C-alpha cells in the first residue's frame, strides 16, 4: 500500500471539456468532506465534481450527476490499481459543449486520475506484525540485542519460569528475524501464536 506525501494535481482536455484531478492525503471521511467542500467553492462554474475516497474503513464514491458508474468508479479503480490508501481523488469537469458518451466519460475520468497519480509523490506504507516468544533467562540479553539490531519493538516482557516476550516488527523482516533469533539462541526459543 502507498500513501501520498502531498497534494497532486493534473489536467487533461478531451473534446474541449477540461478534467482537473486533485489527489489529497486524508486521515478520515470528515477531513475528506472538508476538502471536497473547499474544492466546490473554488470551482463554482464546474458542471461536475466527482470523487472517490479510499480511507481506512471509510470508502466512498460520487458521480455528481454524471451517468452512474461513468465517473467515480473509474477514479476509484485507478486508486485501487495504484494501491493507494488514505486518499481522496476529486475530478472537476468543465463542460466543453460535446457529449462524450458513457465510454468516453469513463476513459476521461480514469485518465485524469491516472495522470494525477503519475505526478504524485508517494511513500510505501510499512506493515507490522506482532509475535510472541518464550525463551530462557540466559538468552534474554542476546535476544534484546538482536531486537535492537532489527529495530524490533519489545511490547511486553513477563517473567515466569521462562521469559515471555511480545514483539512488533516490520512484516518484511519477519522471516529473517525469526530464523536469526532461532540460530542465535541455538533453537532454545519457541514462537507462540497470540
Amino acid at each position: 500500500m502507498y500513501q501520498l506525501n502531498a497534494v497532486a494535481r493534473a489536467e487533461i482536455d478531451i473534446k474541449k471539456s477540461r478534467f482537473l484531478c486533485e489527489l489529497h492525503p486524508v486521515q478520515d471521511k470528515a477531513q475528506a468532506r472538508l476538502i471536497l467542500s473547499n474544492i466546490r467553492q473554488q470551482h463554482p462554474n464546474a458542471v461536475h465534481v466527482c470523487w472517490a475516497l479510499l480511507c481506512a474503513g471509510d470508502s466512498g464514491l460520487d458521480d455528481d450527476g454524471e451517468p452512474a458508474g461513468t465517473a467515480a468508479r473509474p477514479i476509484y479503480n485507478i486508486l485501487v490499481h495504484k494501491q493507494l490508501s488514505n486518499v481522496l481523488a476529486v475530478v472537476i469537469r468543465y463542460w466543453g459543449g460535446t457529449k462524450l458518451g458513457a465510454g468516453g466519460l469513463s476513459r476521461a475520468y480514469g485518465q485524469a486520475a491516472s495522470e494525477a497519480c503519475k505526478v504524485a509523490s508517494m511513500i510505501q506504507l510499512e506493515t507490522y506484525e506482532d509475535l510472541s516468544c518464550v525463551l530462557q533467562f540466559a538468552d534474554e540479553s542476546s535476544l534484546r540485542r538482536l531486537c535492537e539490531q532489527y529495530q524490533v519493538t519489545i511490547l511486553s516482557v513477563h517473567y515466569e519460569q521462562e521469559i515471555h516476550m511480545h514483539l512488533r516488527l516490520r512484516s518484511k523482516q519477519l522471516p529473517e528475524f525469526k530464523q536469526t533469533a532461532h540460530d542465535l539462541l541455538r533453537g532454545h526459543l519457541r514462537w507462540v501464536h497470540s
Side-chain angles (χ1 to χ4, degrees):
M1 294 299 286
Y2 295 88
Q3 194 166 4
L4 296 174
N5 271 338
V7 176
R9 293 179 175 86
E11 179 178 337
I12 62 170
D13 290 325
I14 297 177
K15 294 185 180 179
K16 298 184 183 177
S17 281
R18 288 177 52 215
F19 294 84
L20 304 126
C21 182
E22 295 187 11
L23 302 178
H24 292 264
V26 293
Q27 294 305 313
D28 55 34
K29 201 168 198 171
Q31 183 184 12
R33 282 187 189 130
L34 182 62
I35 292 168
L36 192 55
S37 175
N38 289 337
I39 289 172
R40 287 183 192 280
Q41 288 175 6
Q42 293 168 11
H43 298 276
N45 297 325
V47 290
H48 301 286
V49 179
C50 306
W51 56 269
L53 171 67
L54 277 179
C55 198
D58 274 333
S59 295
L61 305 165
D62 185 8
D63 288 317
D64 192 37
E66 291 283 29
T70 61
R73 179 58 63 183
I75 298 167
Y76 178 85
N77 290 342
I78 293 295
L79 300 179
V80 169
H81 177 72
K82 298 292 185 180
Q83 299 179 16
L84 282 167
S85 177
N86 295 347
V87 61
L88 170 67
V90 182
V91 178
I92 303 111
R93 181 183 182 196
Y94 287 92
W95 195 55
T98 304
K99 291 187 176 185
L100 302 179
L105 285 173
S106 292
R107 285 188 295 278
Y109 281 100
Q111 183 182 347
S114 183
E115 292 299 319
C117 286
K118 287 178 185 176
V119 299
S121 173
M122 300 179 216
I123 55 169
Q124 188 167 8
L125 297 175
E126 291 278 359
T127 57
Y128 290 85
E129 302 282 339
D130 288 357
L131 66 152
S132 297
C133 62
V134 178
L135 62 147
Q136 298 172 1
F137 285 93
D139 295 324
E140 180 182 9
S141 61
S142 296
L143 186 60
R144 283 183 179 273
R145 281 193 300 278
L146 185 65
C147 287
E148 279 182 38
Q149 179 184 339
Y150 277 84
Q151 298 178 336
V152 171
T153 303
I154 300 172
L155 299 173
S156 65
V157 180
H158 299 284
Y159 298 96
E160 297 170 10
Q161 288 182 326
E162 296 175 298
I163 298 174
H164 296 259
M165 279 191 179
H166 191 70
L167 312 170
R168 177 169 291 150
L169 69 155
R170 291 179 189 91
S171 298
K172 64 184 179 186
Q173 290 182 310
L174 185 61
E176 181 183 341
F177 177 79
K178 285 177 82 171
Q179 185 61 52
T180 304
H182 182 269
D183 295 346
L184 178 68
L185 303 182
R186 306 156 315 281
H188 298 281
L189 175 69
R190 290 191 328 270
W191 298 108
V192 181
H193 297 287
S194 26

